Structure formats: structure tokens, C-alpha cells
Amino acid sequence: MARVYNFSAGPAVLPEEVLREAAAEMLDYEGCGMSVMEMSHRSKVYDKIIKEAEADLRELMNIPDNYKVLFLQGGASLIFASVPMNLMKNRKAGYIITGQWAKKAYQEAKIYGEAVELASSADQTFSYIPDCSDLDIPDDLDYVYICENNTIYGTKYHTLPDTKGKILVADVSSCFLSEPVDVTKYGLLYAGVQKNVGPAGVQIVIIREDLISDEVLAGTPTMMKFKTHADNDSLYNTPPCYGIYICGKVFKWLKAMGGLSEMKRRNEEKAKILYDFLDESALFKGTVRKKDRSLMNVPFVTGDVELDARFVADAKKAGFENLKGHRSVGGMRASIYNAMPKEGVEALVAFMRKFEEEHK
């Protein structure tokens, strides 16, 4: 069976070259007689895998030496809690609410201290990014938190908020490694890798060393302390070994493709194809303010719920998978991550044109 065009928001499409490599190594990784899935995380063979993965990620993102890279488990949703547990020294933090995941992180932070809503785009169903150039930021905030790319609603911060000197914490799950990033603008950034980098089960935390401390909120579990993992090079307990191995392969694939500047060029090219069609279409409409559009997640609607369902069903029959919008918003959504080829977006637009002709 031929591979479909997979527009899933996550777990999402991975580079075919990476999958083929992993398949070839499934029974015997580099002559060791074992699969990576079977080997000890304390072995020399695996130590090389995880160290190379970190080195390649550092190179790709130009991560400064005073930042730690942690490979963790638990999904981004666990980080909603570990951020306040580790960073909320004054028991007060600011949150900018631009979608469901930022809202969930905000609600989680309320368990541990005072979470201040600094701005929100809930008034227009999270279809834009609020102006964050002059926020009212209290002096006693421990940090300012954002979800940089909103997977469900298809918005993206193209300018980071002015935090007025406060630490910026960002969930970058659905835009991770899609373009160059200045890591020094963040105190902490993190990603669940299942959207743009690897299989579900790994989260990557990049954190400035001065923010790693034993001084955490009382009751913070050992496994939720960033220091636990920083002190043990992500090997305090058994890490998600196979997932990290796949991430490492994706990092090498990204380097071979030309790095993050080249990925940004490709992603802009792909997104333009789809957005240009949506802007001219008489049937399909994008749902996001133009200047805040994501390169990764493109939501759209016909304006008719039944027609939306018909489109999703017909698209599936034609080999376009996972185009149904998130259950909380409906409509359609095409996630066009790094591994989605331009041909996939072109084929989708050609199908949308045909569908529009048939349903005028």
C-alpha cells in the first residue's frame, strides 16, 4: 500500500528516510546484535546515541553552553505543572492565553500559586495573537508563559512578547525546529516532539542553567525537578530510549536538509501554496488573522458543517489523512510540518479545487 499524505497535528508525519533507516536497524543497530528498543540505556552504544542527539540539536539551534538540554517523559502536559513547581519562587506568574494549551497551562499554574492572565485572544475564538508589546507586567512575576504556536487554532507569535525583563517560558511543541530560534530570548522553552520531530513519548526541555535549582516548591516530586535530570544528563531513570533515537535521526536529517534556515524557507513555500488558495477560494476560508498565521497548522472551513464532514470523508478516500479539525473547533486543519513534502500540499490544494468545483 502506498503511503498517504498525513496531515495529522500529532503524532504526525516523519521523514520517510528516517523511517526507512530505523526499519533497517530494527533487529540490529550498527552490528551490536540488538534493536535500540532492547538495549540498556546505560550501555556505551546507547550513550553515544543520546549524546549525539543532544550535540546535533545544539548545533541545529545554536544552543549556548549555559543552557541544558533535557530529554524527558510525560508529554508537554506534564511540563504545565513542572514549570511552576520549579520556577514559581514568588508564587506568581503571568500567562498569555492564545489557545487551549496555554489555557490548560494557566489553569495548572493556579494550583501552585497566583496565575495572572496578561492577555487573551479568547474573545475571537483564539483567531489572533494579542498585542504583547506593552503588557501590564507586575514586578513580582516569576516568569511570563506563552504557547508560541497554537496547534488547534493555527496562530503563531511572529514577535515575542516584551516581558520587561521577566523570564520567558514557551511551549514550542508545534513549531519546534521549523525555523531558526534565538534561544537566548527564553529562560526555558520546551516541546513535545510528536508534532514535528519524533514519536510520542519524548519531551525536550531547553533551560538556562541559572534557573535550575534545588529551591523548588515544597512537595515537588524528584522526577518533576529539572535539576534531577540536568544533574544526570537525562539518565536519572530509563528515558524514552527509542523515541530519543528517532529524534536523533530527525536532527541528522534536518542537518542534511540544510538546517533550520532552509526548513523555514521550505515551510514558508508550502504554507504560501495553501494560504494563497484559501485567500482566493469562494468555498474554503482560513480562520486566522493573516499576520498571525502559523506555518505549521492551517485551519479552514467551508461555513457548512455538513459540507466540512463531506470534505474530510472525500479527502480520506483520496489519500489525504487526518484533515478533520480538533474536536473543540470542528472544520478542517492541515498540519504541514517539516516532513510534509511540498507535493503533499500541492496535491491537497488540487483536491480542494476539484471539491470546490463540484460543490459550487
Side-chain angles (χ1 to χ4, degrees):
M1 181 182 172
R3 278 174 64 77
V4 298
Y5 286 122
N6 177 15
F7 292 93
S8 172
V13 60
L14 287 168
E16 192 169 322
E17 299 96 308
V18 167
L19 296 176
R20 290 187 185 281
E21 266 187 40
E25 293 172 350
M26 178 54 81
L27 294 178
D28 180 8
Y29 176 73
E30 294 191 350
C32 75
M34 287 180 289
S35 169
V36 175
M37 219 179 264
E38 304 170 293
M39 67 178 56
S40 167
H41 61 296
R42 306 289 181 195
S43 66
K44 285 184 179 177
V45 180
Y46 191 74
D47 193 57
K48 180 171 180 279
I49 289 171
I50 193 169
K51 281 189 165 64
E52 271 191 23
E54 179 177 339
D56 287 338
L57 180 60
R58 284 185 174 278
E59 184 182 336
L60 276 168
M61 295 183 70
N62 194 24
I63 299 172
D65 290 341
N66 66 322
Y67 282 75
K68 287 279 191 183
V69 174
L70 311 177
F71 295 100
L72 306 178
Q73 301 177 69
S77 294
L78 193 71
I79 296 288
F80 296 167
S82 55
V83 163
M85 283 178 168
N86 285 267
L87 301 184
M88 210 186 244
K89 314 293 187 192
N90 296 322
R91 298 283 182 122
K92 192 171 181 180
Y95 282 71
I96 301 170
I97 315 298
T98 51
Q100 184 167 317
W101 304 118
K103 187 177 177 182
K104 285 191 172 186
Y106 167 68
Q107 290 167 338
E108 194 76 12
K110 284 181 172 182
I111 298 169
Y112 304 101
E114 183 183 352
V116 180
E117 184 181 300
L118 298 174
S120 173
S121 53
D123 63 323
Q124 293 180 36
T125 324
F126 302 120
S127 60
Y128 71 102
I129 298 292
D131 180 2
C132 299
S133 60
D134 188 22
L135 298 170
D136 181 13
I137 297 180
D139 289 339
D140 55 347
L141 287 192
D142 290 303
Y143 58 84
V144 173
Y145 181 103
I146 63 170
C147 181
E148 193 163 323
N149 187 88
N150 295 287
T151 322
I152 294 174
Y153 299 96
T155 59
K156 168 76 162 65
Y157 287 81
H158 295 294
T159 303
L160 292 176
D162 180 357
T163 64
K164 299 181 179 174
K166 300 300 177 189
I167 297 160
L168 178 63
V169 175
D171 175 354
V172 298
S173 295
S174 51
C175 58
F176 193 50
L177 300 181
S178 64
E179 61 184 9
V181 169
D182 182 355
V183 173
T184 65
K185 290 183 177 177
Y186 307 81
L188 183 155
L189 63 161
Y190 72 90
V193 305
Q194 73 277 8
K195 296 179 183 299
N196 207 23
V197 187
V202 185
Q203 56 189 356
I204 295 174
V205 173
I206 301 167
I207 179 171
R208 213 171 60 216
E209 285 182 346
D210 62 291
L211 301 178
I212 301 170
S213 168
D214 275 326
E215 293 177 26
V216 296
L217 296 190
T220 298
T222 302
M223 280 294 291
M224 298 282 278
K225 295 176 184 175
F226 293 135
K227 193 172 193 304
T228 298
H229 303 285
D231 287 351
N232 291 279
D233 297 324
S234 302
L235 293 166
Y236 173 76
N237 69 327
T238 309
C241 297
Y242 196 80
I244 294 168
Y245 153 78
I246 297 292
C247 289
K249 286 199 173 296
V250 172
F251 300 156
K252 289 189 184 302
W253 176 79
L254 287 167
K255 286 170 65 177
M257 290 294 104
L260 301 191
S261 294
E262 173 60 14
M263 293 318 298
K264 183 182 183 185
R265 185 195 70 75
R266 289 174 181 228
N267 289 328
E268 287 175 339
E269 182 181 38
K270 286 186 298 186
K272 187 176 189 301
I273 293 166
L274 184 48
Y275 283 126
D276 281 356
F277 170 73
L278 289 172
D279 288 342
E280 72 175 38
S281 172
L283 178 62
F284 297 99
K285 291 285 174 284
T287 58
V288 173
R289 185 167 72 179
K290 283 188 181 181
K291 70 175 188 173
D292 298 324
R293 285 171 166 174
S294 166
L295 295 179
M296 297 285 98
N297 311 102
V298 184
F300 55 96
V301 296
T302 65
D304 181 312
V305 174
E306 289 184 9
L307 197 56
D308 285 354
R310 176 71 183 273
F311 173 80
V312 171
D314 288 1
K316 183 177 176 68
K317 288 175 191 168
F320 302 98
E321 287 281 351
N322 297 306
L323 282 166
K324 188 176 180 180
H326 191 270
R327 60 188 179 277
S328 64
V329 293
M332 285 76 70
R333 172 181 53 180
S335 293
I336 50 176
Y337 297 125
N338 286 344
M340 173 58 65
K342 184 172 82 167
E343 296 75 34
V345 181
E346 290 171 334
L348 174 62
V349 167
F351 177 79
M352 291 169 76
R353 283 190 198 280
K354 180 170 171 282
F355 187 89
E356 182 170 333
E357 283 297 313
E358 292 168 356
H359 295 85
K360 275 184 176 176

